[in-house]
Amino acid sequence: MSLDLDATDRAILRALSEDATLKASALGRRVGLSQSAAWRRVRRLTEAGILGPRRLDLDLEALGFGVTVFLGVKLAAKGRVSLEDFERAVSAIPEVQTVEHVLGLYDYRLRVVARDLPDFERVLRRRIMTLPGVGGVEANVLLSEERRPGPIG
Amino acid sequence: MSLDLDATDRAILRALSEDATLKASALGRRVGLSQSAAWRRVRRLTEAGILGPRRLDLDLEALGFGVTVFLGVKLAAKGRVSLEDFERAVSAIPEVQTVEHVLGLYDYRLRVVARDLPDFERVLRRRIMTLPGVGGVEANVLLSEERRPGPIG
DNA sequence: CTTGAAAAGAACTGCCT
DNA sequence: AGGCAGTTCTTTTCAAG
């Protein structure tokens, strides 16, 4: 299924995950190909589904959201609440950036942003704790974060 | 510092976080502006630092990395290992996609990808558990994930 | 903010090696 | 598969209402 990539493909993936706005010409220069060859490779990788949609990272801090908290949520074992109910309710909270359904100590991991800690407390008390079926919540406040390209080298 | 955004700005941010490849003309159509007006707003938001770099999401599953695990890492209290040492070592592991320094039950949260569970066990035993200063590790396996635009509405 | 237009540059196509 | 040349499209800038 996963078509095989040569070193040039991997170089393209590495370059594009750093800067998705790279033009085919600049990309080609960087990996040692002509503009059209680079462009054809990008199209091939896109059609293979390897290059996903170009997403835009908003600087939420510049927008006044300086607090990011990761919540580990354990659903109440007894309250036979469907996962769908929980997911629907959590998706309606604007401050929730990511909803991850996981297997382990928690059932869900949420990435929540807020303007400051008082604002976060409001979100936690009025939105999170009132979600259907919540059994326990554990929190970690983000101090700093580093994203890396992943195992494409 | 954070310049105020009107409803149109927020619409632009919402549209672009869904699809960062949107052309200024299509964007203008979507938010009810002319092409040049939309383009000027995008430039203004970019210069204000709100629109970050366009990153490209790789479909790691299409590349054969079907397993994603979140690790909560607690450093050993005694072993006076500097955070820098830990961060440097963890950054050298290709399978680690994200390193988050957090405050709470854990000291670090790691997003780790692997080809399958045996491969993950290899990474865990040979790379993660041998990191300098690791006191305890807790794992959650990703089942599904939903990303949302965040509180820009 | 809008329209219109012009210049620059990138995307995309066919043909050739 | 890669390179070249050409066509089509968008971007980017400017002038004027």
Side-chain angles (χ1 to χ4, degrees):
Chain A
M1 188 62 226
S2 73
L3 84 170
D4 36 54
L5 314 175
D6 59 15
T8 307
D9 284 324
R10 272 181 257 116
I12 288 176
L13 294 180
R14 236 177 287 116
L16 282 180
S17 43
E18 282 169 28
D19 182 3
T21 63
L22 273 179
K23 321 291 178 191
S25 56
L27 184 60
R29 226 172 297 122
R30 193 148 147 182
V31 301
L33 285 180
S34 73
Q35 182 258 13
S36 50
W39 181 85
R40 269 192 288 260
R41 287 211 185 222
V42 170
R43 185 175 60 174
R44 197 169 52 77
L45 292 168
T46 304
E47 285 168 353
I50 290 167
L51 288 175
R54 272 125 162 119
R55 284 203 195 133
L56 189 56
D57 283 333
L58 299 182
D59 186 342
L60 287 170
E61 205 156 334
L63 282 168
F65 292 89
V67 173
T68 300
V69 180
F70 298 101
L71 295 179
V73 176
K74 185 80 190 160
L75 297 185
K78 308 268 179 172
R80 223 161 349 126
V81 180
S82 77
L83 303 181
E84 283 76 18
D85 284 345
F86 178 85
E87 291 175 7
R88 207 174 306 113
V90 87
S91 289
I93 307 175
E95 287 86 359
V96 173
Q97 264 200 303
T98 314
V99 183
E100 283 149 358
H101 186 198
V102 294
L103 208 56
L105 194 52
Y106 304 112
D107 295 306
Y108 286 93
R109 280 178 37 116
L110 309 179
R111 183 187 179 114
V112 178
V113 295
R115 303 196 163 272
D116 45 38
L117 283 178
D119 187 40
F120 174 73
E121 190 189 6
R122 176 189 61 80
V123 174
L124 182 66
R125 295 174 78 138
R126 308 182 56 155
R127 313 297 309 257
I128 307 287
M129 301 306 275
T130 59
L131 286 169
V134 168
V137 175
E138 184 256 323
N140 286 94
V141 179
L142 178 65
L143 295 177
S144 66
E145 182 175 31
E146 190 203 356
R147 293 187 196 180
R148 316 218 307 101
I152 34 177
Chain B
M1 186 62 224
S2 73
L3 83 173
D4 36 54
L5 315 174
D6 60 14
T8 307
D9 283 324
R10 275 181 255 116
I12 288 175
L13 294 180
R14 236 178 285 119
L16 282 181
S17 43
E18 281 169 29
D19 181 3
T21 63
L22 271 179
K23 335 264 177 202
S25 55
L27 184 61
R29 226 172 297 121
R30 194 149 147 181
V31 300
L33 284 180
S34 72
Q35 183 261 13
S36 44
W39 182 83
R40 267 191 297 259
R41 288 206 185 225
V42 169
R43 185 176 60 175
R44 196 168 52 78
L45 292 168
T46 305
E47 286 169 353
I50 291 168
L51 259 41
R54 272 126 163 117
R55 284 203 195 133
L56 191 56
D57 283 333
L58 300 182
D59 187 342
L60 288 170
E61 204 157 333
L63 282 169
F65 292 89
V67 173
T68 300
V69 180
F70 298 101
L71 296 179
V73 176
K74 184 79 192 162
L75 296 186
K78 307 270 178 174
R80 228 170 335 135
V81 181
S82 77
L83 304 180
E84 283 74 19
D85 284 345
F86 178 84
E87 291 176 7
R88 209 175 304 112
V90 85
S91 289
I93 308 175
E95 288 85 358
V96 173
Q97 263 200 303
T98 314
V99 183
E100 284 148 356
H101 186 198
V102 293
L103 207 56
L105 193 52
Y106 306 111
D107 294 306
Y108 286 94
R109 316 213 84 191
L110 309 179
R111 184 187 179 115
V112 179
V113 295
R115 303 196 162 274
D116 45 39
L117 283 178
D119 186 40
F120 174 73
E121 190 189 6
R122 176 189 60 80
V123 175
L124 182 66
R125 294 174 78 139
R126 306 182 58 154
R127 315 295 311 258
I128 307 286
M129 300 308 275
T130 61
L131 285 170
V134 168
V137 176
E138 182 256 325
N140 286 94
V141 179
L142 177 65
L143 296 176
S144 66
E145 183 173 33
E146 189 203 357
R147 292 189 197 179
R148 318 217 307 101
I152 34 175

